[in-house]
Amino acid sequence: MFVQKRSSRLARFFPFLSWLKGYSSQELRSDSLAGLTVAVVLIPQSMAYAMLAGMPPVYGLYAAAVTPVIGALWGSLRQLATGPIAIMSLLVLTTLTPLAEPGSADYISLAFTLSFMVGCLYLFLGTLRMGLIMSFISHSSVKGFTAAAALIIISTQLPHLFGISVGKHEYILPMLVNIVRELPSLNPYTCVMGIAALILISFIKHVNRNLPAGLIALVIGTVMVIVFDLDQKGIAVIGAIPVGLPSFNLPLVSFEMLSKLAGPTMVIALVSFAETYSVGKAISSQTKQKVNVNQELIGQGLANCIGSFFYCPPVSGSFSRSAINFAVGAKTGVSSILSSIIVVLSLLFLTQLFTSIPKAVLAALVINAVLLLFNPKEVFALLKKNRHDGIVAVTVFIMGLVIKPDYALLLGVMMSLIFFLWKTMHPVVVRITKDPELNMFVDGDLMDKPDCPQILQLRIDSEIYFGNAQFLVELISERLDALVAPIKFLILDFQAVSFVDLTGIDELRLLLEELDTRGVRPVFININPPVQKVFVSSGLSADIDAEMIFDGKGTATRKIFPILDHDYCRETCSIALFNECETVK
């Protein structure tokens, strides 16, 4: 027993032990190929995403060298590739631009602080097993946000693609206006190289998706810059990159800074983990691995926290690189470790080769990567599938272009919650009747079937709580008022009711009093045990006739049929719903 507990504790604190145990040479071969393939994509992407975040490209390489190892060792999904991603880089840019000039020392320092805060939030949620809080981000909000973010990311890269200079803007519309104004002053060499790189990357991916299109475009672009001295003709290049690994750095944390970054930290954490979780679900459905949300939060939290001490901006699980990692055949987190090692070797020995990389090609790489995320048709198609989801997605998409995208996402989350509350506040009450031809109980309104004139049977398809209890009782009263023939029994089916609060109990008491005034006997069926406990503890069960509580519809109708008005059945009623009806006709 002690050994089992110790083993379980070790697995929790060191989850990588589960896949390192019994690690085979065949797995090493698969992981090595996957690690090399991902590194080829990771190096150019990390530099491009650092540039997108408003930071020098070297900080993207630092993040690519440090964080994949930590995310792999302490995460739950073996094929997840942690590192810089486009959407998180955009959120870093929009969050920090109002506080400091992008690229400045203060701005870069804020990015490390933001990474530290995001990591701490992840660790807090994961340690306390609060991963379910991520469920508050609806898929409709994410779809609208992703489409808007893709468009914003593309707009931020257009100046690099065309070789024009525009001021930094918090919002996309003024930026686009400024870009259009500056188009006459574009650099033709930069514009041709950027567009050619974009076409080349797209063409290579179309021909063979397994080829490193981004790396090929970078190599060709860099060679052209060196051979033809294109940097002397206005094509902007990365410039000198420091040789060596990042040193230890303490992020600056103050109360004022914490208060300014607290809100954005929550948004960035929620959005980035939504992508991480989506990646996990997509890959786990293929590998049959179990995604431990809390462990993944811990893994991403450690990656961001530790990364912030080594000059790393915020990172997350990458959808594209994880997909490549899985497709090439990665078996364990060793593939991510090997990717980091390759980046480390590049920082030690290959930085001189990065000096002449044109920024236009990096911009083309970013634009090509996020074009897949820009799918407004899918956003507007939600309006046909589900009206509420469609409204949320379209609103987030439009507002993401008008205001800051993180604010738009928060608006979408609030709208989703409001729609959910609105739905629960207006519960569905279904009229149930028996179809003698099918010999089964059906939805009377849907199937357009009549009731027994002396029995009204209703199924409540919702929990009963303070937000909907009064509306529910009023809805039942309206059903009673709409009846032409005076009924003797009201059967309430509680099969779909799993929770009743004290406000619900009070409203049910008022309903019982109203039924007594009308001369209608209440019948309760299919009461779930948790609800039954509330009935007993609140004293409501004392107000209900114990002989009028049954386990099913058929039992209830058989028991109450003998006390119906049989004279009415013979002389007035023209329908025969129940088998017993024929005995009194």
Side-chain angles (χ1 to χ4, degrees), residues 492-518:
L492 294 175
D493 188 344
F494 270 61
Q495 185 175 13
V497 181
S498 59
F499 171 77
V500 180
D501 69 358
L502 291 181
T503 303
I505 294 294
D506 291 339
E507 291 296 330
L508 287 175
R509 278 201 177 94
L510 293 176
L511 177 62
L512 293 178
E513 292 174 5
E514 180 184 346
L515 292 176
D516 185 58
T517 303
R518 290 174 181 264

Side-chain angles (χ1 to χ4, degrees), residues 23 30 75 109 121 136 179 221-222 242 248 252 261 273 279 356 387 400 406 409 425 454 481 510 538-539 564 572-573:
Y23 191 70
S30 298
S109 178
L121 180 59
F136 283 105
I179 289 172
T222 303
F248 185 79
L252 296 177
L261 296 179
F273 195 78
V279 176
S356 299
R387 183 166 167 264
D406 46 350
L409 180 67
M425 289 170 65
Q454 300 185 61
D481 292 337
L510 293 176
S538 64
L564 293 177
T572 307
C573 183

Side-chain angles (χ1 to χ4, degrees), residues 180-434:
V180 172
R181 285 176 180 171
E182 295 296 328
L183 281 178
S185 63
L186 63 79
N187 183 289
Y189 295 100
T190 303
C191 184
V192 170
M193 175 165 283
I195 294 175
L198 191 59
I199 294 172
L200 178 63
I201 293 171
S202 301
F203 176 74
I204 293 172
K205 286 188 174 182
H206 178 73
V207 173
N208 189 340
R209 299 191 64 85
N210 295 324
L211 291 175
L215 184 65
I216 293 172
L218 278 182
V219 170
I220 293 175
T222 303
V223 169
M224 289 184 68
V225 168
I226 295 172
V227 172
F228 298 106
D229 291 325
L230 295 180
D231 55 327
Q232 302 299 317
K233 297 179 181 179
I235 290 185
V237 295
I238 287 177
I241 290 181
V243 178
L245 303 178
S247 58
F248 185 79
N249 163 67
L250 278 176
L252 296 177
V253 178
S254 64
F255 180 78
E256 182 183 2
M257 196 178 296
L258 288 174
S259 62
K260 288 181 178 179
L261 296 179
T265 294
M266 294 181 65
V267 175
I268 290 173
L270 289 171
V271 172
S272 60
F273 195 78
E275 177 166 347
T276 300
Y277 184 70
S278 299
V279 176
K281 293 295 286 183
I283 294 178
S284 64
S285 65
Q286 301 291 325
T287 63
K288 307 306 177 185
Q289 295 178 62
K290 183 179 180 181
V291 180
N292 186 330
V293 177
N294 295 309
Q295 188 62 52
E296 209 56 66
L297 281 167
I298 291 173
Q300 295 299 309
L302 286 173
N304 278 280
C305 274
I306 296 175
S308 68
F309 293 114
F310 294 95
Y311 297 98
C312 300
V315 297
S316 184
S318 166
F319 204 109
S320 60
R321 295 193 299 273
S322 298
I324 293 170
N325 203 27
F326 171 70
V328 177
K331 303 299 180 185
T332 70
V334 170
S335 62
S336 292
I337 296 172
L338 292 173
S339 294
S340 287
I341 291 173
I342 293 171
V343 177
V344 167
L345 294 174
S346 300
L347 281 167
L348 291 174
F349 305 110
L350 302 178
T351 53
Q352 190 63 34
L353 299 178
F354 300 153
T355 303
S356 299
I357 291 178
K359 290 184 178 181
V361 179
L362 286 177
L365 192 152
V366 173
I367 292 172
N368 184 270
V370 300
L371 275 175
L372 294 175
L373 302 177
F374 182 61
N375 194 353
K377 287 184 179 180
E378 188 174 331
V379 172
F380 287 93
L382 287 177
L383 286 169
K384 297 180 180 179
K385 298 177 182 178
N386 184 291
R387 183 166 167 264
H388 286 171
D389 283 343
I391 291 173
V392 170
V394 172
T395 301
V396 172
F397 173 67
I398 294 173
M399 296 306 293
L401 301 177
V402 176
I403 60 176
K404 286 187 177 182
D406 46 350
Y407 293 167
L409 180 67
L410 284 178
L411 176 64
V413 171
M414 289 188 290
M415 287 179 64
S416 296
L417 292 175
I418 290 170
F419 279 135
F420 171 74
L421 289 174
W422 180 262
K423 186 176 180 180
T424 62
M425 289 170 65
H426 297 78
V428 176
V429 176
V430 180
R431 178 175 65 85
I432 301 297
T433 188
K434 189 173 183 183

Side-chain angles (χ1 to χ4, degrees), residues 431 433-435 437 442-451:
R431 178 175 65 85
T433 188
K434 189 173 183 183
D435 186 337
E437 296 177 359
V442 297
D443 183 332
D445 292 328
L446 182 65
M447 304 292 288
D448 194 23
K449 297 293 182 180
D451 287 313

Side-chain angles (χ1 to χ4, degrees), residues 52-88:
L52 170 61
M55 303 175 70
V58 69
Y59 294 107
L61 291 172
Y62 290 161
V66 176
T67 59
V69 177
I70 303 164
L73 291 177
W74 276 275
S76 68
L77 190 66
R78 300 179 181 185
Q79 289 84 8
L80 182 68
T82 301
I85 64 172
I87 288 180
M88 181 166 264

